[in-house]
Amino acid sequence: MSEAHVVLDGVTRVFARAAQEPLHALGPIDLTLKRGEFFAVVGPSGCGKSTLLDAIAGLSVVTDGVVRIDGQAVAGSVPPGVGVVFQDDASFPWLTVEDNIAFGLRRQGVDGAEVARRVADALSLMGLTDFARAYPAQLSGGMRQRVCIARTLVLQPRLILLDEPFGALDQQTRLLMGDELLNLWRKTGATILLITHALDEAAMLSDRVGVMSARPGRFLEIVETRWPRDRDSTIVSSPEFGAAASRLWTLLRAESLKAMQHQARAQTV
Amino acid sequence: MSALEAQRPRAPSWLAGRGFDTAVFAALVLLLWQGAHLWGGEVAMTTPLGTLLFTAKTLASAEFWPHAYATLSAFLIALVIAASSGILIGAVLGFHRLSGEVAEPVLVAIYSIPKVTLYPIILLFFGIGIAAEVAFGALHGIIPVILFTMNAVRNIKPVYIKSARVMRVSGWPLFRTVLLPATLPEVFTGLRVGFSLTLIGTLLSEMFGSKRGIGFVLMQAIGLHNMDVIMSLTFLLVAFAGSVNVLLLAIDHRLHRRA
């Protein structure tokens, strides 16, 4: 449990801009994710949360510092064993639910019987069995996000990165999806990094919550929740949950104000 | 209330279906057609029945087929050129944002001018014959194919490409399994519009500067005021373009239902 899975060492991202000074979006960030832990990142909008995720997933190159997964430096390409679920609906509309879920397996050349077995497992795990032959256009937003999660899970990633995966869903669906996510986390034993703008979601789901500052994004503090491993969404009614969520908000309030002032100034310039 | 409803005879299924609507529409068209004949007389419009009979005679005649073949071959060559270069140019303009933004207003301008005004230039370039017909047909069809393809490429959701990268798919497989199916519905709509416009362009070219083809025969018949020929050729063209379009539209709807 305490073994390091992902290590960020001085990770910094600066975007070059035409005819403007470079934009310092992120870092330097030092962070260690322990194997099998559930880590959430919260922060004011525009603080570089998604930039952080892109850097860990190898979707973008960092300006300075290094990301190591299992001791291997991530260098501009997605390392094996990493799965990402995005906020935008990424289900492919031209494929049925089962073909969507099988997509990654087929591209990796896994044999047909194995694909069928793993897709059937993922379908039942995500409650999608009755919709295997449906197209995403026939499903609700929450169901489509489940398809994307299933598509990630069949590849059996050891590290799952989620970028505001429930951002587009209503509150009730979000809480229930949170329960499902906790279930998956326990079943798979994967390390999870969840990026979210919902403080309650972060406080309810994770072992630790990293609170980021306004741009350039750095960790202000990492809050430990000390929930039991078999927690679920009912903890939102406990006093400890209230304390954790209010601690996060206290930390974030000043930063969110700063971020809003930044944006207001950028608009008046 | 429910007892009454149970007694009421139900409409048979053929009355409720699409087939019934189509039949009603066809009957109305025939009725109007016959009415136009009664009102305008034989010099303005032949009867539906007369047209059908003459069409059958035309199809059986030896002179008709070389002209039909000429039109069809010019049209098909023009369509292949419009579709292939349209998709290619559209894809380049879609992927290269700046070029796309520069080209778009120009293309829209060309799309909206009557291409007949360019006909003298085409004729000077290619001379009277199949080359001009193909060029004029392709000129009509290529613009919508470019515009639809360009927008299809621009509108690919970035998250599709990101997801594919995360699943370690890139290069040719990325193109084949993500980019192609993601753009297919819009590109197909472009091809459907391109089909109709290419046919119009080819026929126009035959009407104004050609010695063969359906358009040429049609123009001759107009000069001689031969209503039978005019009506039966028009009927054949409408039947051809109409049925192909119904087919393409059905595929188009099928593709778009998923998107």
Side-chain angles (χ1 to χ4, degrees):
Chain A
M1 184 74 190
S2 60
E3 183 199 348
H5 188 176
V6 182
V7 178
L8 282 77
D9 191 359
V11 168
T12 306
R13 184 79 166 99
V14 179
F15 291 99
R17 291 189 295 186
Q20 276 183 79
E21 25 179 296
L23 179 78
H24 186 176
L26 186 71
I29 282 186
D30 300 308
L31 177 70
T32 301
L33 299 184
K34 288 172 273 190
R35 193 173 299 283
E37 94 167 311
F38 198 131
F39 191 95
V41 177
V42 295
S45 60
C47 74
K49 297 188 292 273
S50 295
T51 310
L52 175 68
L53 180 133
D54 282 357
I56 298 174
L59 287 168
S60 72
V61 184
V62 295
T63 314
D64 200 13
V66 67
V67 177
R68 284 197 181 82
I69 296 178
D70 292 319
Q72 290 282 322
V74 174
S77 77
V78 184
V82 176
V84 184
V85 179
F86 298 97
Q87 173 177 17
D88 295 335
D89 171 24
S91 60
F92 296 144
W94 57 90
L95 295 178
T96 59
V97 167
E98 57 184 357
D99 287 339
N100 256 292
I101 297 172
F103 181 86
L105 292 171
R106 289 194 179 132
R107 298 270 70 75
Q108 289 181 2
V110 177
D111 83 274
E114 175 72 4
V115 171
R117 196 182 61 73
R118 277 158 76 168
V119 168
D121 283 352
L123 281 167
S124 84
L125 191 65
M126 297 309 293
L128 290 166
T129 307
D130 292 342
F131 304 94
R133 300 269 154 83
Y135 283 93
Q138 297 163 278
L139 305 179
S140 67
M143 300 277 275
R144 272 181 252 170
Q145 199 54 283
R146 269 183 232 207
V147 173
C148 295
I149 294 174
R151 190 170 69 183
T152 303
L153 284 176
V154 283
L155 299 171
Q156 298 171 343
R158 305 310 305 148
L159 171 65
I160 305 174
L161 310 171
L162 302 113
D163 190 358
E164 304 195 8
F166 313 136
L169 307 181
D170 60 78
Q171 178 75 9
Q172 298 92 301
T173 314
R174 266 179 41 208
L175 285 174
L176 294 176
M177 293 287 283
D179 279 341
E180 286 181 24
L181 190 57
L182 283 172
N183 244 326
L184 291 174
W185 170 62
R186 279 188 291 266
K187 276 191 194 155
T188 60
T191 309
I192 290 188
L193 179 97
L194 170 73
I195 285 176
T196 175
H197 56 248
L199 299 182
D200 55 345
E201 203 169 275
M204 157 188 145
L205 294 172
S206 30
D207 297 317
R208 292 192 297 161
V209 183
V211 182
M212 278 176 88
S213 67
R215 201 166 60 215
R218 297 186 177 103
F219 282 114
L220 289 172
E221 193 170 320
I222 290 172
V223 178
E224 292 210 29
T225 56
R226 302 177 200 284
W227 302 126
R229 200 171 158 79
D230 60 348
R231 57 188 174 259
D232 62 30
S233 60
T234 54
I235 58 174
V236 297
S237 54
S238 71
E240 294 88 344
F241 174 83
S246 76
R247 172 98 188 99
L248 293 178
W249 179 232
T250 313
L251 286 165
L252 257 182
R253 191 169 178 278
E255 292 304 315
S256 298
L257 276 172
K258 239 187 267 175
M260 274 175 74
Q261 279 157 7
H262 273 311
Q263 281 162 8
R265 213 174 308 144
Q267 274 161 13
T268 51
V269 166
Chain B
M1 185 68 187
S2 62
L4 273 176
E5 255 169 34
Q7 278 170 8
R8 194 180 298 156
R10 287 249 191 88
S13 63
W14 59 267
L15 256 178
R18 278 280 292 280
F20 179 69
D21 296 347
T22 314
V24 168
F25 179 71
L28 269 175
V29 169
L30 286 176
L31 215 65
L32 279 172
W33 187 349
Q34 185 74 34
H37 168 74
L38 290 175
W39 185 60
E42 192 70 32
V43 286
M45 190 160 281
T46 56
T47 61
L49 185 65
T51 306
L52 268 179
L53 291 175
F54 197 85
T55 305
K57 225 162 79 187
T58 308
L59 288 175
S61 74
E63 303 100 84
F64 172 74
W65 290 103
H67 287 296
Y69 178 74
T71 300
L72 206 63
S73 51
F75 167 63
L76 286 180
I77 297 170
L79 189 62
V80 167
I81 292 174
S84 55
S85 24
I87 289 176
L88 197 72
I89 296 169
V92 169
L93 294 180
F95 280 116
H96 195 268
R97 255 212 142 73
L98 181 63
S99 317
E101 275 163 22
V102 172
E104 192 171 11
V106 179
L107 288 168
V108 171
I110 299 175
Y111 191 41
S112 53
I113 58 166
K115 253 72 72 189
V116 176
T117 52
L118 301 175
Y119 193 61
I121 302 170
I122 297 276
L123 218 49
L124 282 174
F125 243 84
F126 295 96
I128 289 180
I130 189 167
E133 289 156 27
V134 168
F136 204 55
L139 178 68
H140 276 76
I142 196 170
I143 312 277
V145 179
I146 294 177
L147 287 172
F148 275 94
T149 306
M150 180 173 76
N151 277 315
V153 170
R154 278 186 190 168
N155 292 337
I156 297 174
K157 283 167 74 178
V159 75
Y160 292 162
I161 299 171
K162 262 185 160 182
S163 300
R165 282 183 64 195
V166 169
M167 291 184 272
R168 302 159 71 77
V169 175
S170 61
W172 170 247
L174 174 71
F175 176 78
R176 193 174 59 80
T177 60
V178 178
L179 303 185
L180 201 63
T183 49
L184 187 64
E186 280 304 288
V187 172
F188 191 86
T189 305
L191 290 177
R192 185 172 61 76
V193 178
F195 169 88
S196 307
L197 291 179
T198 304
L199 184 61
I200 291 175
T202 311
L203 287 168
L204 279 178
S205 179
E206 284 180 347
M207 290 174 93
F208 294 121
S210 180
K211 296 230 167 293
R212 22 167 259 156
I214 304 283
F216 166 69
V217 179
L218 203 53
M219 211 58 184
Q220 250 189 345
I222 293 171
L224 299 169
H225 199 93
N226 187 339
M227 270 327 281
D228 281 326
V229 172
I230 295 173
M231 288 298 290
S232 63
L233 287 184
T234 309
F235 175 74
L236 278 173
L237 286 172
V238 169
F240 169 68
S243 42
V244 174
N245 235 311
V246 165
L247 184 75
L248 294 180
L249 203 60
I251 301 173
D252 204 337
H253 281 322
R254 226 186 126 79
L255 288 169
H256 271 93
R257 216 175 25 220
R258 294 178 195 163

